[in-house]
Amino acid sequence: MSLVKKSLAKTASSVPASTEIHAPTAAVDNVQANAPVTNNEQKEYPFFVAAIESDLAQLKTFTDIADKASYKSEALKRNDYLGYIKRYRLSGQNHHNTVLAWVFIWLVDLKRWDDVLELLPLMVEQKQPLPTVFNTKHWPAFVIDQLYDDANYYLSQSEQAGLFTISFVLHRLITTVKNQDWTGLEVVGGKLYAMAAKVDASIHNYGFAAAFAEQALAINDGAGVKGLLKDLQKLLKQSEPEQAVDAD
């Protein structure tokens, strides 16, 4: 049994059973039906904080990245962190949540992009703080940096399967942050669209690649894709069907 489950079980066993004989009123029923999720989240949170702190301490004992990844993956299941986060979201709670922050970081490390992109809007909306060990204070920037490194690797290896996968993830991320104001974050925004342009160009998705390159330069003129955009515009022009000339 995990640390969290043991703690919650101990707490549950210490709660006295009700001795009330008559049935509760409808008003009480309504309150009880609507309140438990929030109340449970408040009660659960300290136990999950203790669990994540224990896991973080354990992670410091590993030096191998693969061992750390394996431990994170096992800890996510063992302590059911994602189940807790689901309850936190449903509860309507909004507070600085250490558990949510670290679990999100682990999901990025483990490249579980579906979970990452599902939670990213919540991280931004609630303005969850990144742990102080990270230089950036911006969740999209954190995700972009990780995806940028992955995309660069696939580009350097010309690994087509990886490029198609990372292209799909980049498209989803761009959709997620489409309303993002990049003021003060021009380098980060330009980086996202520039990498998307390079990846799509590498898999011959020239229309998207050109559009992303244009957006990258609109955000940051120094995004480094001016030459790529010119090449893409030439390719796209060459692929246009010739217009038929009307005979007199």
Side-chain angles (χ1 to χ4, degrees):
M1 185 181 287
S2 72
L3 173 64
V4 175
K5 289 178 181 176
K6 286 180 181 177
S7 300
L8 290 175
K10 183 177 179 182
T11 301
S13 66
S14 67
V15 177
S18 173
T19 57
E20 187 160 342
I21 334 178
H22 63 275
T25 64
V28 173
D29 276 342
N30 287 336
V31 171
Q32 290 177 339
N34 295 327
V37 180
T38 300
N39 291 340
N40 285 343
E41 194 282 328
Q42 292 171 338
K43 292 174 183 176
E44 286 183 325
Y45 181 62
F47 298 120
F48 280 96
V49 170
I52 203 82
E53 288 177 350
S54 176
D55 284 330
L56 290 170
Q58 189 63 34
L59 280 167
K60 290 180 181 178
T61 67
F62 297 110
T63 54
D64 187 79
I65 294 177
D67 289 339
K68 289 185 177 184
S70 179
Y71 184 90
K72 291 171 185 176
S73 184
E74 290 170 5
L76 285 171
K77 294 179 183 177
R78 182 177 64 251
N79 287 324
D80 191 25
Y81 287 123
L82 291 178
Y84 160 71
I85 288 173
K86 182 178 180 179
R87 293 190 294 276
Y88 170 76
R89 295 174 70 184
L90 290 173
S91 74
Q93 290 285 294
N94 183 348
H95 60 80
H96 287 181
N97 192 319
T98 300
V99 180
L100 174 60
W102 278 110
V103 168
F104 185 87
I105 290 164
W106 289 3
L107 293 171
V108 173
D109 291 342
L110 295 170
K111 306 184 193 308
R112 290 177 53 168
W113 300 121
D114 285 343
D115 292 322
V116 168
L117 293 173
E118 182 183 346
L119 287 174
L120 181 58
L122 177 70
M123 310 303 287
V124 174
E125 180 186 339
Q126 294 196 349
K127 298 180 181 179
Q128 290 291 335
L130 272 100
T132 54
V133 294
F134 295 95
N135 292 327
T136 181
K137 303 300 178 188
H138 191 259
W139 288 108
F142 176 77
V143 176
I144 290 165
D145 282 344
Q146 305 306 310
L147 281 172
Y148 189 87
D149 291 342
D150 281 8
N152 262 331
Y153 170 79
Y154 293 130
L155 284 170
S156 67
Q157 300 298 313
S158 297
E159 190 178 316
Q160 290 298 299
L163 287 167
F164 275 102
T165 299
I166 212 71
S167 169
F168 178 68
V169 176
L170 286 167
H171 279 239
R172 287 185 62 193
L173 177 57
I174 285 171
T175 300
T176 301
V177 300
K178 62 184 178 183
N179 296 321
Q180 174 70 46
D181 179 6
W182 296 106
T183 304
L185 295 164
E186 290 84 0
V187 172
V188 174
K191 191 177 183 179
L192 168 62
Y193 286 94
M195 182 49 70
K198 292 174 185 177
V199 169
D200 272 20
S202 73
I203 57 177
H204 313 297
N205 199 354
Y206 300 134
F208 273 115
F212 290 149
E214 289 176 353
Q215 185 62 29
L217 294 170
I219 295 170
N220 176 21
D221 191 55
V225 287
K226 289 180 181 177
L228 174 62
L229 179 57
K230 287 181 181 179
D231 292 340
L232 288 167
Q233 288 170 336
K234 287 179 184 178
L235 284 169
L236 289 170
K237 189 171 184 179
Q238 290 169 4
S239 65
E240 290 177 356
E242 293 184 7
Q243 293 182 348
V245 179
D246 294 333
D248 292 332

